[in-house]
Amino acid sequence: MKSGTIHGVGLGPGSQDLMSVRADRLIRGASHVAYFRKQGRRGHARSIVEGLLGRDVIELPMEYPVTTEIPVDDPRYNALLAAFYDKQVAQLSEIAEAGQDVVVLCEGDPFFYGSFMHLYTRLEGRVPVAVVPGITGMSAAWTATGRPVTWGDDVLTVLMGTLPEEALVERIARTDALVVMKIGRNLDKLRRALVRASRDDEAWLIEYAAMSQERIRPFREVGDSVPYFSILVIHGNGRRP
C-alpha cells in the first residue's frame, strides 16, 4: 500500500485571505486535519480555517501537556514535550502508513519557530512529509506599520523575548532592523533592554497583525501587559537611492 503524506501547511498570520492557494486546496480536500492547541481551548490554527474543512473530515487536536506552567529550563519541560511529540508522531505515522494523507495546520510558517518542526524531524525518514510555506507573523507586523523594514544593506535580527536581558541589549544595540517575538511575560525585561540599547524611541508594537483586532502603537505607549499575539518591530534606515 502506498503511504500517505503528512503535510505541514502554513496558514500565515491569521487571516484566511493571506493563505496560499496550495494551502487552501490541501485544507479543503483533507480527510484528516491535525492541529496544536492548549488544553481546553479550540486552538488558533483551527479557528483560522473555520468554514474551509470538509463535512466528513476527521479532526485530530494535539493538546500540549504544558505551555507556561513549567519554566523552559526545568528538565520536566523537555521531557513532557518530547513524550508529547513522540505520541503525536506515532498517531500521524499510523494514519500515513494506512495510505491516508494528514494536513497539520501551522500558524505562520511551519519552519519558523513552529511546533510542527518537532514533528517534522521525527517523521522524516518514516513517512513522506511535505511542507507548505506561509506568510510569517513578523511580515504581517511590519507591513501593518506602513513602513519598509529593511533597506539596502540593513541587517535584520529576529529575537525571542525569552533571551537573557544582556543578550537582548547586545543584539538590539548592534542590529539595524529588529523583530522581537514571545514578548508576554518578558515585557519588562524587553523594555529595560530597549532603554539600555537606546532604541526604545524607535520601537513599535503590533498586536494581532493581520487579524480583526490589529493594533499598532509606539512601544513607549505600551502598558504593563501585551496580548500573546504581539510583535515588536524596529525599522532599518539603510542605503537607498
Side-chain angles (χ1 to χ4, degrees), residues 14 23 27 30 39 54 58 65 71 82 91 106 111 116 121 124 140 143-144 153 160 166 195 202 210 231 238 241:
I27 291 166
Q39 293 182 7
I58 297 173
Q91 176 181 230
C106 308
F111 276 178
F116 178 76
T121 55
E124 199 175 20
T143 299
D153 302 320
M160 298 297 106
E166 293 302 323
V195 170
E202 303 172 57
I231 294 176

Side-chain angles (χ1 to χ4, degrees), residues 62 84-94 118-123 126-127:
M62 300 180 288
F84 164 72
Y85 288 122
D86 288 343
K87 178 182 177 181
Q88 305 311 319
V89 164
Q91 176 181 230
L92 296 174
S93 296
E94 182 179 357
H118 303 292
L119 300 180
Y120 180 87
T121 55
R122 290 167 166 83
L123 288 165
R126 293 181 60 168
V127 294

Side-chain angles (χ1 to χ4, degrees), residues 17-234:
D17 58 2
L18 290 177
M19 287 167 41
S20 69
V21 173
R22 184 181 301 176
D24 182 83
R25 173 175 54 81
L26 286 169
I27 291 166
R28 291 181 187 274
S31 60
H32 295 73
V33 171
Y35 48 89
F36 294 98
R37 71 182 186 189
K38 276 189 173 184
Q39 293 182 7
R41 303 282 185 86
R42 188 181 191 200
H44 185 61
R46 175 62 181 82
S47 297
I48 294 172
V49 301
E50 182 62 33
L52 300 183
L53 303 183
R55 183 169 53 187
D56 298 323
V57 68
I58 297 173
E59 298 191 31
L60 307 167
M62 300 180 288
E63 295 192 339
Y64 295 112
V66 62
T67 50
T68 58
E69 298 84 359
I70 301 176
V72 295
D73 56 358
D74 187 316
R76 293 175 298 164
Y77 185 88
N78 273 349
L80 285 168
L81 284 179
F84 164 72
Y85 288 122
D86 288 343
K87 178 182 177 181
Q88 305 311 319
V89 164
Q91 176 181 230
L92 296 174
S93 296
E94 182 179 357
I95 296 170
E97 287 163 357
Q100 298 291 316
D101 292 346
V102 182
V103 167
V104 180
L105 305 177
C106 308
E107 299 168 37
D109 183 276
F111 276 178
F112 190 71
Y113 296 108
S115 296
F116 178 76
M117 298 184 297
H118 303 292
L119 300 180
Y120 180 87
T121 55
R122 290 167 166 83
L123 288 165
E124 199 175 20
R126 293 181 60 168
V127 294
V129 188
V131 176
V132 179
I135 297 172
T136 61
M138 67 178 184
S139 179
W142 65 57
T143 299
T145 68
R147 292 174 54 192
V149 70
T150 50
W151 297 85
D153 302 320
D154 276 337
V155 173
L156 170 65
T157 299
V158 180
L159 302 177
M160 298 297 106
T162 51
L163 285 167
E165 184 172 332
E166 293 302 323
L168 289 171
V169 172
E170 177 189 358
R171 293 178 182 272
I172 292 171
R174 286 193 310 171
T175 195
D176 300 308
L178 174 71
V179 169
V180 183
M181 303 166 60
K182 297 186 179 179
I183 299 173
R185 299 181 179 185
N186 303 290
L187 177 60
D188 290 340
K189 176 177 61 176
L190 176 59
R191 197 192 312 272
R192 292 193 302 269
L194 286 163
V195 170
R196 291 176 60 191
S198 300
R199 305 292 299 272
D200 52 310
D201 284 342
E202 303 172 57
W204 291 82
L205 188 81
I206 301 88
E207 302 172 1
Y208 301 106
M211 302 179 218
S212 60
Q213 314 98 302
E214 182 179 275
R215 183 184 185 189
I216 307 105
R217 52 186 165 150
F219 186 77
R220 62 178 177 270
E221 296 180 4
V222 173
D224 297 331
S225 64
V226 295
Y228 175 80
F229 293 103
S230 296
I231 294 176
L232 179 142
V233 171
I234 290 179

